[in-house]
Amino acid sequence: MSDLQPVSMTRKRPMKLSTLVTLMICGVIGSVLLVLCALYFMQITKATRDGVKDTALAIARTLADDPEIKRGLLLSPATPLIQPIADAVSRRNGLLYVVVTDMRGVRFSHPDTRLLGQQFIGDDLAPALKGKENVSVNHGVLAEALRVFTPVYDATHRQIGVVVVGISLKKVDEQLSRSRWSVIWTVLFSVLVGTLGTWALVRVIRRILFGLEPYEISALFEQRQAMLQSLKEGVMAIDSAGRVTMVNHTARQILLLPSDESGETPMMDLLRDVARSGVARQDREINCNGRLLVCNTVPVKSREGVIGAICTFRDKTEIRQLMQRLDGMVNYVDALRSHSHEFMNKLHVILGLLHMKRYDKLEEYVLQTAHNYQTDIGAIQRKIKSPVIAGFLLGKINRAKEAGVTLTLAEECQVPDTANEQQVTVLITVLGNLIENALDAMSGQSEGEVTLLLHYQNGWLSAEVSDDGPGIEPARLASIFNKGYSTKGEHRGVGLFLARQEVEKLGGELTVESEPGVFTQFFVLIPWDSERLIA
């Protein structure tokens, strides 16, 4: 059965980024254009009407100042003096009419000559008869028009009449329509530019986001966060300015950082160096809070270059514990394999003695074999209750035999078993380093002996590893626990450093005594939680 649950078909699919951006920009542009068009139409209408009004007023004022108009108002309405002038001005300026009246409202000019001498129609003439210019929209004999009234004065500044200029509203509407078309073309051009801009913006955003949709980015971010927080390795990242951008839970636990802070840490210098140089740093060891961390730091690169660095690190103690467990199992298996071969050889000897019917020799050989078993394996099992440590020691005994050295376990050894894996790991680490160093030191000798004493008392386990090798000069005793110090060549000098570090981390101690040419003896003291105490 698949662990993946089928996606519900009724779930609404998230909107695409291109659709979302297009709708948003279209909504913004449309709203802005709508408001601008409304304001523009209002301004255009007002400006057009004001322009027509100003033009009509200018014509009316010009006629009002014309001497012929003034002279004609002093004559009879039937005198053909004002009518020709009014007709000429009306045709020249495309006006609906030009009407001149006296102070009684009697027409002296009109497009329809039959109406000459008759009363002007409309109450909007009254303000002009009182000497005030007036503008109104009204319907007279002809058609609804925008009418402008201007008083006429004689030489003594006495009002003698009124000039009325009428412009058809249809003409005004035509001018407004022409103005609106310019607005429409402007809107269409804006829509075209906005569409092209939206298309370009969507392409740029999709390229920046690697073609991913917002919901896909959100899902990837959540997966990335879950993945980072589930890692057993610590992860820390910085940007190009050296600011910490990410720290996962494991990193906070290892570095002892509060959950809401990302302060200065020992690997910040390493991260900044990698971000600055762009060169990765592999398997660097950093001491932090009493722990030895193995760090791998690589630069984070983009098209523009290095934009930061990321460091993954893990407590080397955990790695070393895993390796030591593996080494212990390998040693145990090697010891079993070696004893299995020896046992097969012994069976062949016993079978041969049976065929030869040498029962006296057979009895002697079986007794000797049983005695050797009790001496070697049986003794180790009686003294060392931890099977892991027992297997480790069996492997080291065989390793010493292959090197031509005798590894002897003291008779008074006594090590109870413990459920504390860390203590077992530290003991195997320390004993492994000390025994291997002793075997290396006696590699040039024809024979040698390494003695191991393990003793438990009151929650503490003491170990003494001594050998009769060349010893250590007094001047070098104080330096043998320093990291990198070794007389065996480069890339050495780590074993004793790590051994002392692990012992001190448990609250124990590791010391050494040596006399050149006579002996070397290491003393180890670590806390030991025996099964009796744990129970």
Side-chain angles (χ1 to χ4, degrees):
M1 181 177 178
S2 175
D3 294 334
L4 297 176
Q5 298 297 326
V7 180
S8 176
M9 297 302 294
T10 60
R11 183 179 178 181
K12 186 177 180 180
R13 183 179 179 83
M15 188 177 295
K16 289 187 175 182
L17 177 64
S18 57
T19 306
L20 184 63
V21 172
T22 301
L23 291 177
M24 181 180 67
I25 295 180
C26 289
V28 172
I29 294 178
S31 301
V32 172
L33 288 177
L34 183 62
V35 173
L36 289 178
C37 286
L39 294 175
Y40 190 62
F41 277 128
M42 292 173 61
Q43 293 295 327
I44 285 294
T45 301
K46 184 176 183 300
T48 302
R49 289 185 179 274
D50 289 344
V52 171
K53 181 189 72 173
D54 292 342
T55 300
L57 278 173
I59 296 172
R61 288 168 181 170
T62 302
L63 290 173
D65 292 336
D66 191 334
E68 295 296 321
I69 298 296
K70 294 179 181 180
R71 189 164 63 88
L73 285 174
L74 299 176
L75 302 175
S76 169
T79 304
L81 181 61
I82 296 178
Q83 180 66 25
I85 297 174
D87 289 342
V89 171
S90 180
R91 288 192 302 269
R92 181 73 175 177
N93 294 279
L95 304 176
L96 180 62
Y97 54 80
V98 174
V99 176
V100 179
T101 70
D102 59 10
M103 295 302 294
R104 297 173 298 169
V106 176
R107 300 186 184 97
F108 278 68
S109 66
H110 196 278
D112 188 355
T113 57
R114 295 173 300 175
L115 300 178
L116 292 176
Q118 297 184 12
Q119 199 73 23
F120 185 86
I121 300 174
D123 296 336
D124 45 0
L125 178 65
L129 293 175
K130 297 178 181 180
K132 298 179 181 179
E133 288 185 340
N134 183 34
V135 179
S136 67
V137 176
N138 207 336
H139 194 291
V141 177
L142 299 177
E144 190 174 19
L146 175 69
R147 305 200 290 192
V148 175
F149 302 85
T150 299
V152 181
Y153 299 93
D154 61 8
T156 61
H157 201 68
R158 180 176 64 88
Q159 185 176 356
I160 59 176
V162 176
V163 174
V164 183
V165 175
I167 299 177
S168 174
L169 289 182
K170 183 177 180 181
K171 186 175 181 180
V172 175
D173 292 338
E174 289 176 355
Q175 294 186 23
L176 289 175
S177 297
R178 287 194 295 269
S179 300
R180 290 190 181 102
W181 271 110
S182 64
V183 175
I184 293 173
W185 285 115
T186 302
V187 170
L188 292 177
F189 179 75
S190 301
V191 170
L192 177 62
V193 173
T195 302
L196 294 176
T198 303
W199 175 79
L201 178 62
V202 169
R203 283 182 60 86
V204 171
I205 293 177
R206 287 184 65 84
R207 185 169 65 251
I208 293 174
L209 300 180
F210 302 101
L212 297 175
E213 299 294 338
Y215 63 90
E216 294 175 332
I217 296 174
S218 176
L220 288 176
F221 177 78
E222 293 175 353
Q223 293 170 4
R224 169 182 170 274
Q225 289 298 105
M227 176 185 67
L228 288 174
Q229 303 306 338
S230 65
L231 290 176
K232 291 186 177 180
E233 288 78 11
V235 181
M236 176 177 285
I238 65 171
D239 58 15
S240 57
R243 296 184 296 265
V244 176
T245 57
M246 182 191 62
V247 183
N248 69 346
H249 292 328
T250 305
R252 293 188 181 278
Q253 292 174 357
I254 295 176
L255 302 175
L256 304 180
L257 291 175
S259 60
D260 56 345
E261 296 182 10
S262 55
E264 195 72 14
T265 61
M267 62 273 303
M268 287 299 295
D269 292 337
L270 181 59
L271 279 165
R272 294 191 181 107
D273 179 61
V274 171
R276 183 172 51 255
S277 63
V279 179
R281 301 285 189 271
Q282 303 291 339
D283 299 328
R284 292 296 179 92
E285 294 184 359
I286 294 180
N287 195 340
C288 177
N289 300 325
R291 296 181 176 183
L292 190 62
L293 307 180
V294 179
C295 305
N296 291 296
T297 310
V298 295
V300 180
K301 299 181 179 179
S302 70
R303 300 184 185 94
E304 293 78 16
V306 179
I307 59 174
I310 186 167
C311 177
T312 60
F313 52 91
R314 189 166 186 173
D315 192 346
K316 193 173 182 179
T317 305
E318 298 180 10
I319 302 175
R320 191 164 57 254
Q321 287 176 350
L322 293 175
M323 295 299 297
Q324 288 164 356
R325 290 178 188 175
L326 182 60
D327 288 341
M329 295 303 297
V330 170
N331 292 331
Y332 193 72
V333 171
D334 289 342
L336 291 177
R337 185 183 296 112
S338 175
H339 284 283
S340 176
H341 290 166
E342 292 181 8
F343 182 69
M344 290 299 297
N345 293 332
K346 289 179 173 59
L347 287 179
H348 291 156
V349 172
I350 292 173
L351 183 60
L353 291 174
L354 284 174
H355 283 303
M356 296 171 59
K357 297 183 180 181
R358 297 293 302 274
Y359 300 117
D360 54 340
K361 292 292 183 181
L362 176 60
E363 182 181 2
E364 180 182 347
Y365 182 77
V366 170
L367 291 175
Q368 182 63 34
T369 300
H371 176 72
N372 291 339
Y373 174 80
Q374 294 297 328
T375 302
D376 295 338
I377 301 178
I380 291 177
Q381 290 181 343
R382 287 197 308 273
K383 299 173 183 177
I384 310 299
K385 300 303 181 182
S386 172
V388 176
I389 299 176
F392 165 76
L393 292 178
L394 283 174
K396 288 300 179 183
I397 290 174
N398 292 328
R399 165 84 172 84
K401 287 180 181 179
E402 294 174 358
V405 178
T406 302
L407 176 58
T408 304
L409 194 63
E411 289 294 332
E412 57 269 30
C413 285
Q414 188 63 42
V415 180
D417 197 5
T418 178
N420 193 321
E421 295 185 3
Q422 185 179 8
Q423 293 174 351
V424 174
T425 301
V426 171
L427 180 62
I428 291 176
T429 299
V430 176
L431 294 182
N433 278 291
L434 297 180
I435 293 173
E436 287 297 327
N437 287 344
L439 296 179
D440 288 344
M442 294 184 294
S443 59
Q445 299 180 190
S446 58
E447 60 181 11
E449 182 179 6
V450 179
T451 303
L452 175 62
L453 171 62
L454 297 169
H455 182 68
Y456 169 80
Q457 185 177 6
N458 297 330
W460 291 87
L461 182 68
S462 59
E464 299 177 10
V465 180
S466 58
D467 64 79
D468 53 2
I472 304 173
E473 297 177 3
R476 293 195 294 131
L477 279 178
S479 304
I480 62 173
F481 293 107
N482 294 339
K483 184 179 179 181
Y485 180 84
S486 176
T487 59
K488 304 172 186 177
E490 297 181 357
H491 308 294
R492 303 294 294 272
V494 180
L496 290 177
F497 167 76
L498 292 178
R500 169 173 273 188
Q501 188 180 58
E502 292 301 314
V503 169
E504 291 178 348
K505 187 185 296 184
L506 280 180
E509 61 180 9
L510 173 59
T511 56
V512 61
E513 292 181 0
S514 181
E515 184 175 344
V518 180
F519 76 95
T520 300
Q521 191 169 23
F522 285 88
F523 301 93
V524 182
L525 181 64
I526 60 174
W528 194 259
D529 301 332
S530 70
E531 288 187 337
R532 293 190 299 275
L533 295 177
I534 295 175

